[in-house]
Amino acid sequence: FFFKQKTAYEIKECDWSSDVCSSDLTIRPSCKQLGQALHRRTSPKAIGYRLAELQNGATDVRALKTLILAGLAAGLAALAALPAEAAPPALPIVKKRGFLLCGVNGQLPGFSMRDDKGQWAGFETDLCRAIAAAVFGDATKVQFVPLTARDRFDALRKGEIDVLIRNSTATLERTVGRGVRDATVIFVEGQAVAASRKSGIDTLEKLDGRPICVLNSTTYGRNVRDWLRPRNRKYVPVTFDTQEEMYAAFFAGKCDAVTQDISALSTSILAGGKPQDYVVLPGIVGLQPNAAFVRSGDEQWEDVVRWTIFALLEGEEQTITRDNVDFQLKEGTPVAQRLLGMPPDDGRLLGLTGNWAYDVIKQVGNYGEIFDRNLGLQSPWKFQRGTTALWNKGGLMYALPLR
């Protein structure tokens, strides 16, 4: 900003460590551009520089150094405080492309993984299909993009995916000023630790000084560390970038324990083929509210993702299933009929068709159906609902009013 003032000096280069400046030459173009950019953001008056001293003939190089450094620091701070540039609207882009790009884990049994026929299956992949059904009226119009924990949020920020549904916990540090937003919570459970039986570890306290397999770029390591340290136990992490690498190391005995969400631990150990060799330790080291994530600044797309998940939950609460959805549309309660598009006002508010929720439930099922076939009693894992049950059945899941 100060470069645009009528100052006594134009600076080309300075050695700040020795206070030596070339004051009779022109400004580097890159510096000038930076100065002009900063000038557009912050006025000199607001920062209170000593420009008058320089313009009146002051030749104190130290004063000039202080001026420039203070100006750059204040200007850059002002730039950093500005809100992130709004993301381009995703809904028209997705519609024009003709399919949804959904970021998933890709290596987590029961959640997102190819089955023995090469087809994508799992709780998270079905949530992706539900969003595709809401947007296109066709749950098959989705492409799954496997992502590591390290890459997932960068891929979302760069627009390489439209939505991230990948066992990702919603936290303050992940969402505030990071260019992403958690649209809504999709799954709630606790983080646990599993150990090999031959390690002799049967309580969390016995993890003291023992190597623990942990995924990079996740909250898992911090949660275990924060549990152990107040109890004067030593935390020894062995980190990995992918799910596959971590469990391969754990099964090979390179770690005595491994930590992740309870469901992820259980399905991965069962899929490993020797569940009798391992035990999930009693106790929880952290709460894991997993969410669907979208780019910041795109409220319409955030609404589409959020209300699709709410439609799944409301469908379960109203006992609307894939099998009875047509009957519910014709003969159901006013609440059920409104959800299914009678009248179609809610769809128009979202930029979708009036029967968007009908298409979601007809093609994918309600939230309970999705859980049961991928993780619950209809799946190989036989999990109880627990915290993922509806609010009126002892769980934490609920939909905001669809009205």
Side-chain angles (χ1 to χ4, degrees), residues 63 129 166 196:
R129 292 185 176 104
R166 183 206 180 281
S196 63

Side-chain angles (χ1 to χ4, degrees), residues 199-219:
S199 71
I201 299 172
D202 55 9
T203 66
L204 292 171
E205 286 81 0
K206 291 184 180 179
L207 293 170
D208 183 23
R210 308 292 286 272
I212 305 171
C213 284
V214 182
L215 279 172
N216 279 321
S217 304
T218 67
T219 59

Side-chain angles (χ1 to χ4, degrees), residues 355-377:
N355 60 342
W356 65 280
Y358 169 89
D359 288 332
V360 169
I361 297 175
K362 180 69 173 179
Q363 297 180 39
V364 186
N366 64 39
Y367 184 93
E369 290 179 288
I370 293 172
F371 182 95
D372 285 344
R373 68 171 171 263
N374 290 296
L375 298 168
L377 298 181

Side-chain angles (χ1 to χ4, degrees), residues 6-262:
K6 186 178 180 181
T7 58
Y9 301 98
E10 289 184 304
I11 307 303
K12 179 176 181 180
E13 56 186 353
C14 293
D15 178 355
W16 299 124
S17 62
S18 62
D19 290 337
V20 175
C21 296
S22 301
S23 60
D24 56 346
L25 299 173
T26 58
I27 303 169
R28 284 198 190 103
S30 59
C31 293
K32 185 172 183 179
Q33 291 165 6
L34 174 61
Q36 291 173 341
L38 293 177
H39 181 271
R40 289 193 295 269
R41 303 291 189 184
T42 308
S43 68
K45 182 178 180 181
I47 304 175
Y49 297 120
R50 294 169 56 199
L51 285 170
E53 294 182 22
L54 294 174
Q55 291 168 340
N56 292 332
T59 57
D60 184 353
V61 173
R62 289 183 180 275
L64 183 60
K65 167 189 171 180
T66 302
L67 166 67
I68 294 175
L69 289 179
L72 284 172
L76 292 172
L79 283 175
L82 290 172
E85 184 178 349
L91 184 58
I93 293 174
V94 173
K95 285 182 175 180
K96 183 176 181 181
R97 186 195 305 130
F99 58 89
L100 176 74
L101 290 171
C102 194
V104 297
N105 185 306
Q107 299 179 351
L108 188 53
F111 287 87
S112 59
M113 195 171 181
R114 291 188 183 273
D115 61 20
D116 53 6
K117 297 179 181 179
Q119 301 299 311
W120 283 101
F123 178 82
E124 293 170 347
T125 55
D126 275 350
L127 295 187
C128 297
R129 292 185 176 104
I131 298 169
V135 174
F136 298 107
D138 186 345
T140 67
K141 290 189 175 182
V142 56
Q143 185 176 112
F144 301 104
V145 183
L147 296 166
T148 66
R150 185 188 298 275
D151 297 336
R152 53 186 163 174
F153 291 111
D154 283 341
L156 180 60
R157 279 186 285 264
K158 294 175 183 177
E160 296 171 3
I161 56 174
D162 304 311
V163 61
L164 178 68
I165 301 182
R166 183 206 180 281
N167 62 310
S168 300
T169 310
T171 69
L172 181 148
E173 293 178 357
R174 282 181 172 169
T175 56
V176 176
R178 297 288 185 173
V180 300
R181 274 280 179 265
D182 50 305
T184 191
V185 171
I186 59 174
F187 197 88
V188 181
E189 65 175 335
Q191 178 187 337
V193 180
S196 63
R197 291 188 182 276
K198 66 180 181 180
S199 71
I201 299 172
D202 55 9
T203 66
L204 292 171
E205 286 81 0
K206 291 184 180 179
L207 293 170
D208 183 23
R210 308 292 286 272
I212 305 171
C213 284
V214 182
L215 279 172
N216 279 321
S217 304
T218 67
T219 59
Y220 299 132
R222 177 188 292 186
N223 289 341
V224 174
R225 181 197 66 196
D226 290 350
W227 194 96
L228 291 173
R229 285 187 177 176
R231 295 166 174 82
N232 295 316
R233 302 300 198 274
K234 185 178 180 182
Y235 171 55
V236 182
V238 182
T239 59
F240 301 89
D241 285 334
T242 70
Q243 185 105 359
E244 186 176 15
E245 292 171 347
M246 181 177 73
Y247 280 100
F250 176 59
F251 294 145
K254 295 180 180 179
C255 310
D256 291 332
V258 63
T259 184
Q260 208 171 14
D261 300 345
I262 295 173

Side-chain angles (χ1 to χ4, degrees), residues 45 99 145 166 231 285 298 319 326 330 333 337-338:
K45 182 178 180 181
F99 58 89
V145 183
R166 183 206 180 281
R231 295 166 174 82
V285 297
D298 188 354
T319 65
D326 291 304
K330 295 177 182 179
T333 66
Q337 289 183 326
R338 182 176 179 84

